Amino acid sequence: MYGIIDCDNCYVSCERVFRPDLNGKPVVVLSNNDGCVVARSNEAKALGIKAGMPYFKMMQQWPDKDIAVFSSNYELYGELTARVVDIIRQEAPSYFRYSIDECFVYFPPLNDSSLFTLHSSLSEWGENLHKKIKKWVGMPVSIGIGPTKTLAKMASHFAKKYPGYHHCCLIDSEEKRLKALKLYPIEEVWGIGRRYAARLQALGVKTAYDFAQHHETWVRNTFNNIVILRTWKELNGIDAVPNEEMAKKKSICTSRSFSGMITELDTLRTNVANYAARCAEKLRRQDTVASIVSVFLNTNFFREDLPQYWNFQEKRLTVGTNSTIDIVKAATEVLHEIYVPGYHYKKAGVIVMGISPTSPQQLDLFDYNAKDYDKKKRLDKAMDRINKINGSETIVLGSQQYTQKDGKGRAEVFANAIKHDHRSKNPTTRWSDIIKLK
DNA sequence: TCTGGGGTCCTAGGACCC
DNA sequence: TCTGGGGTCCTAGGACCC
């Protein structure tokens, strides 16, 4: 059996941990630059606020509503969800984290597990886990349990929707499985996206049950696609979606939209240097190196009145690296190749690929600077440590600093202007934000 | 005025190998 | 008249997920 633990309205719930006064009120969390709505409380959903809706449109549509608005604060969300995972680790025989707000657990056959000497049933296990996470972290979760991951996901939606389940829904019989399938719209099935849903509906498939009832040959012939076939099997109770071993990432991307638009190469270069440095940090955190560094650049697609430009290029390195200096250098070189003056740029990003383990590493026989490998490694280690203790970007490369000329032509450093007008504090990660009790 | 930021997997087709 | 049989690797594009 599989279980999935899913944080309810994750980002909103994180914000409410330190703002209990917002319980029961409409709350939304925005994307970077306060662009779109990415998380909504149940009250906000009830108002009709859609996921992905631009913030300015929400304000136009509900100008007078008392809606609490937060800029995204990933430092806070990352820390609180890590606490949730810590509890799951203690309570589950084995688990794998699927996303920032979801975690799968795997239950071995019943008689093999001592877990069930403590809990008489799986649903009791789930209800207790919910209580513990709510009490210890303040995060509400929904738990679904079923014979396949797809059915567990389905169960978690029922747990979310119907209070009668006490936050945990269990599909452990043929009768329950069929009942759940009949109540479940096809477009909400895990693995069925917009395109497949439209095709299926056109073929008369409205519910998960309609789909599961079709013969395997029909699915094969209609879609000729192994992914959707797995989903069909899972709905029929056959374990088919491979368990991800939480492998190391095969590509790592850091990209941002700018709050305004950028025309100057210098400013783009500073941004790209920062994204590259973030990629290097992410590589080091999973103990890997990359041998391909790529950069993309685009103008504002929403501005049809302006000329449009998009480009992407990569640089292949002889030796895989996770050194901030190396990756920033490579990214900067690529940027110079794709930058064309005269356009108003809205977004840039760095993607590193060709990822392999840090060791064993093939070095370059003909590289005269080989002695620098060690130096750079120690430098990165020192920087990572400082940034971990004192907060990210406490120490950066010079090329990462945003500067502008003052009246006398001297460079002044300033903070990068990603818009975060409604950002909450970080009481769990910043000394300056610690909550004072009276 | 204002529109996010990450990832994965599969398939078809082309280039190449013996 | 007749023109084999088996592979691998890479890339682009399309689908999906959160």
Side-chain angles (χ1 to χ4, degrees):
Chain A
M1 296 289 276
Y2 291 95
I4 184 153
I5 295 93
D6 188 334
C7 298
D8 296 341
N9 312 330
C10 186
Y11 299 166
V12 165
S13 298
C14 287
E15 297 293 352
R16 277 176 170 169
V17 166
F18 295 105
R19 288 292 305 275
D21 57 302
L22 295 178
N23 286 325
K25 297 185 179 162
V27 182
V28 299
V29 176
L30 306 176
S31 64
N32 264 342
N33 286 316
D34 295 343
C36 299
V37 175
V38 291
R40 303 156 295 155
S41 70
N42 291 343
E43 299 78 11
K45 289 176 187 172
L47 281 178
I49 299 170
K50 302 289 180 213
M53 175 182 259
Y55 175 45
F56 73 91
K57 285 193 180 167
M58 184 191 95
M59 292 305 279
Q60 286 167 3
Q61 207 167 333
W62 292 275
D64 305 321
K65 274 283 172 204
D66 187 18
I67 302 168
V69 174
F70 290 93
S71 304
S72 40
N73 182 351
Y74 291 102
E75 191 169 314
L76 177 69
Y77 312 150
E79 209 272 336
L80 291 181
T81 53
R83 294 180 184 210
V84 172
V85 176
D86 276 343
I87 296 172
I88 294 169
R89 194 195 335 262
Q90 293 165 31
E91 299 294 320
S94 59
Y95 75 99
F96 53 93
R97 192 172 182 173
Y98 177 67
S99 71
I100 189 166
D101 67 335
E102 286 168 293
C103 195
F104 278 109
V105 295
Y106 169 66
F107 301 105
L110 286 181
N111 49 357
D112 288 3
S113 175
S114 59
L115 187 69
F116 301 97
T117 59
L118 296 173
H119 301 286
S120 59
S121 76
L122 283 172
S123 41
E124 192 182 320
W125 176 88
E127 286 171 30
N128 283 326
L129 181 60
H130 166 269
K131 276 184 211 153
K132 189 173 269 190
I133 294 172
K134 187 79 177 66
K135 184 170 179 183
W136 290 10
V137 185
M139 172 69 68
V141 300
S142 297
I143 300 172
I145 302 175
T148 67
K149 290 188 281 297
T150 306
L151 289 169
K153 283 278 257 184
M154 185 180 288
S156 76
H157 287 175
F158 286 116
K160 217 172 277 256
K161 195 168 173 188
Y162 301 107
Y165 287 116
H166 304 292
H167 312 283
C168 177
C169 171
L170 173 64
I171 297 177
D172 61 348
S173 72
E174 193 58 8
E175 192 194 341
K176 289 186 197 170
R177 182 180 73 86
L178 293 174
K179 189 181 165 196
L181 289 181
K182 286 176 187 170
L183 286 168
Y184 211 69
I186 187 66
E187 67 270 20
E188 286 179 25
V189 173
W190 188 47
I192 304 292
R194 263 208 335 268
R195 309 279 176 138
Y196 288 147
R199 281 180 67 186
L200 283 163
Q201 281 158 351
L203 291 162
V205 172
K206 307 292 181 211
T207 65
Y209 180 79
D210 297 339
F211 183 47
Q213 282 306 103
H214 272 286
H215 196 272
E216 182 170 344
T217 353
W218 180 87
V219 181
R220 281 181 190 277
N221 295 341
T222 309
F223 292 95
N224 190 24
N225 176 310
I226 191 175
V227 181
I228 197 166
L229 185 66
R230 284 184 191 147
T231 299
W232 176 86
K233 285 184 177 172
E234 291 241 323
L235 291 174
N236 282 300
I238 303 158
D239 194 9
V241 173
N243 289 343
E244 293 160 56
E245 303 300 327
M246 273 295 99
K248 295 181 176 177
K249 295 204 189 325
K250 293 162 186 167
S251 72
I252 289 173
C253 174
T254 305
S255 72
R256 298 282 180 277
S257 295
F258 315 130
S259 53
M261 288 187 281
I262 296 180
T263 52
E264 296 301 313
L265 176 60
D266 271 355
T267 317
L268 282 174
R269 189 163 46 206
T270 311
N271 279 283
V272 165
N274 275 288
Y275 309 154
R278 273 296 292 156
C279 285
E281 272 179 37
K282 293 177 188 174
L283 282 168
R284 294 196 290 273
R285 201 192 308 166
Q286 61 167 22
D287 201 22
T288 52
V289 296
S291 62
I292 303 173
V293 178
S294 52
V295 178
F296 67 87
L297 200 57
N298 61 250
T299 48
N300 188 347
F301 300 134
F302 291 101
R303 289 291 299 271
E304 287 168 11
D305 54 319
L306 292 175
Q308 297 291 324
Y309 175 75
W310 181 92
N311 208 343
F312 167 95
Q313 213 160 297
E314 62 186 35
K315 181 180 165 71
R316 289 166 185 258
L317 309 172
T318 321
V319 177
T321 180
N322 60 22
S323 144
T324 297
I325 289 176
D326 290 346
I327 291 179
V328 167
K329 183 163 172 258
T332 306
E333 285 171 22
V334 178
L335 174 67
H336 278 93
E337 285 174 38
I338 60 175
Y339 171 77
V340 179
Y343 288 104
H344 293 77
Y345 293 99
K346 183 62 181 173
K347 184 174 180 177
V350 174
I351 306 173
V352 294
M353 292 169 287
I355 294 179
S356 58
T358 301
S359 66
Q361 188 179 13
Q362 175 63 55
L363 300 183
D364 183 355
L365 179 62
F366 302 106
D367 185 350
Y368 298 115
N369 299 316
K371 61 179 192 314
D372 285 351
Y373 293 147
D374 255 5
K375 273 175 111 175
K376 286 178 187 164
K377 206 175 275 179
R378 279 182 285 142
L379 177 64
D380 285 327
K381 205 171 165 185
M383 287 175 59
D384 286 342
R385 190 170 151 72
I386 290 168
N387 287 333
K388 185 178 176 189
I389 294 171
N390 296 320
S392 62
E393 289 172 22
T394 301
I395 183 166
V396 296
L397 298 187
S399 60
Q400 289 177 254
Q401 279 197 318
Y402 296 89
T403 55
Q404 61 187 10
K405 297 275 194 296
D406 68 6
K408 293 172 184 164
R410 292 173 305 203
E412 275 182 333
V413 174
F414 65 97
N416 183 32
I418 283 188
K419 204 168 144 195
H420 284 129
D421 289 345
H422 311 279
R423 178 106 96 183
S424 54
K425 297 199 163 201
N426 292 291
T428 61
T429 48
R430 301 266 167 177
W431 292 112
S432 54
D433 291 353
I434 267 191
I435 290 174
K436 295 181 183 110
L437 299 180
K438 286 182 184 169

